[in-house]
Amino acid sequence: QADVAMYAAKSAGKNRVQFFDPAMLQLDDAVEAEAELRAAVDGGELVLAYQPVVAAGDGRCTAVEALVRWAHPFRGLLGPDQFLALAEETGAIVPLGEFVVRRACADAARWAQEGHPVAVHVNASPTQLAHPRFVELVRESLAAADLDPGQLVVEVTETTVLDSPVVAATLDALVALGVVIALDDFGTGYSALTTLRSLPIGIVKIDRSFVAGVLTQAADQAVVEAIVQMAHRLGLETVAEGVESVEQQDVLERVGIGSLQGYLYLPPAPAEAFSAWLADNRRRSSTGELTPA
Ligand code: C2E
Ligand code: MG
Ligand code: MG
Ligand code: MG
């Protein structure tokens, strides 16, 4: 990921080959990078990758997470780690987030029309959630797609919601619309228990660092088990992130996890590939062909 790749500079004045380090996108020439990112949003260079969330026990796909990618004309397919920080710093996250919410709602509506309704999860950053038009954007996107608000899940992290009355108000307004809030990367923040109690959270997503250690680290298994039990007592749904093996899946199901997500089922894929995977998941689940989860 930190590989140094060659690319031709975009603007005519600098039409020479130079070395590109992804880190540069965050540090070097922020003004130009911001312009490039905004042009990418307007010019359709952003795409969504979709990753299924499957129910424990029967493996049926109940939801899908939208993950943004930048199909850069010279640098290849860039992941969020390579441009989100810049987008956040420059405010380009707002139009970027607008694209993500609109497209995710439209795609989810299409899957529902094809006979495969799944909830769609979108990630929202601190800047997005503090933006005065975010709730309106969600309302408009749902209406434009004719999507049920309960089919949209907004994923937030603990750090995002910590100590921000503005963000808390946004979450309340979203929940009033019927949208579901998920707490992402749970367990990695500072105020896990307070957050769960004070915010209108419906789903807890257990961070993949715990899932990674669930087979080898007794502590990780204990943490996962405790989170699941606490979530259930609070009436919250649970999702394990980053499930890569059947062995991990087995342990997670044994401790009572509600749903699972990870490379084991499908790595984030283009909409069309996910669509095909979804149709196959539904076919196999209706014929009882699905192997446990
Ligand atoms: P996240 O929301 O926690 O998303 C899960 C990340 O874990 C994704 O990385 C996904 O590709 C990766 N992943 C999924 N299954 C596995 C697995 O089995 N093993 C491993 N090792 N990794 C797995 P990705 O797509 O690079 O996204 C990174 C982060 O960027 C996301 O973490 C999210 O916080 C942020 N992000 C992605 N899309 C958006 C977006 O549209 N808006 C905002 N604001 N943030 C986004
Ligand atoms: Mg997420
Ligand atoms: Mg996560
Ligand atoms: Mg994450």
Side-chain angles (χ1 to χ4, degrees), residues 157 184-185 207-208 241:
T157 59
D184 206 352
D185 304 340
D207 191 69
R208 71 165 182 264
E241 306 190 274

Short mmCIF file of all heavy atoms in Angstrom, two decimals, residues 157 184-185 207-208 241, ligand 4:
data_model
loop_
_atom_site.label_atom_id
_atom_site.label_comp_id
_atom_site.label_asym_id
_atom_site.label_seq_id
_atom_site.Cartn_x
_atom_site.Cartn_y
_atom_site.Cartn_z
N THR A 157 -18.34 6.00 14.14
CA THR A 157 -17.37 5.46 15.11
C THR A 157 -17.49 6.22 16.42
O THR A 157 -18.00 7.34 16.45
CB THR A 157 -15.93 5.57 14.59
OG1 THR A 157 -15.65 6.94 14.34
CG2 THR A 157 -15.73 4.77 13.32
N ASP A 184 -19.51 1.56 14.62
CA ASP A 184 -18.49 0.84 13.86
C ASP A 184 -17.22 0.65 14.70
O ASP A 184 -16.98 1.43 15.63
CB ASP A 184 -18.16 1.68 12.61
CG ASP A 184 -17.63 0.86 11.45
OD1 ASP A 184 -17.37 -0.35 11.63
OD2 ASP A 184 -17.47 1.43 10.37
N ASP A 185 -16.44 -0.35 14.36
CA ASP A 185 -15.13 -0.56 15.00
C ASP A 185 -15.25 -0.61 16.52
O ASP A 185 -14.38 -0.13 17.24
CB ASP A 185 -14.14 0.54 14.61
CG ASP A 185 -13.98 0.68 13.11
OD1 ASP A 185 -14.31 -0.28 12.39
OD2 ASP A 185 -13.52 1.74 12.66
N ASP A 207 -15.09 -4.68 16.26
CA ASP A 207 -13.92 -4.42 15.43
C ASP A 207 -13.17 -5.70 15.06
O ASP A 207 -13.07 -6.64 15.85
CB ASP A 207 -12.96 -3.48 16.16
CG ASP A 207 -11.87 -2.98 15.23
OD1 ASP A 207 -12.19 -2.20 14.31
OD2 ASP A 207 -10.71 -3.41 15.38
N ARG A 208 -12.62 -5.69 13.85
CA ARG A 208 -11.99 -6.91 13.36
C ARG A 208 -10.72 -7.28 14.10
O ARG A 208 -10.27 -8.42 14.02
CB ARG A 208 -11.75 -6.82 11.86
CG ARG A 208 -10.67 -5.88 11.41
CD ARG A 208 -10.31 -6.21 9.96
NE ARG A 208 -9.23 -5.36 9.50
CZ ARG A 208 -9.41 -4.24 8.82
NH1 ARG A 208 -10.62 -3.84 8.52
NH2 ARG A 208 -8.38 -3.52 8.44
N GLU A 241 -16.94 -7.98 12.46
CA GLU A 241 -16.26 -7.52 11.25
C GLU A 241 -15.00 -8.36 11.00
O GLU A 241 -14.39 -8.88 11.93
CB GLU A 241 -15.76 -6.09 11.41
CG GLU A 241 -16.78 -5.06 11.81
CD GLU A 241 -16.18 -3.66 11.69
OE1 GLU A 241 -15.54 -3.19 12.66
OE2 GLU A 241 -16.36 -3.04 10.63
MG MG B 4 -12.68 0.33 10.26
#
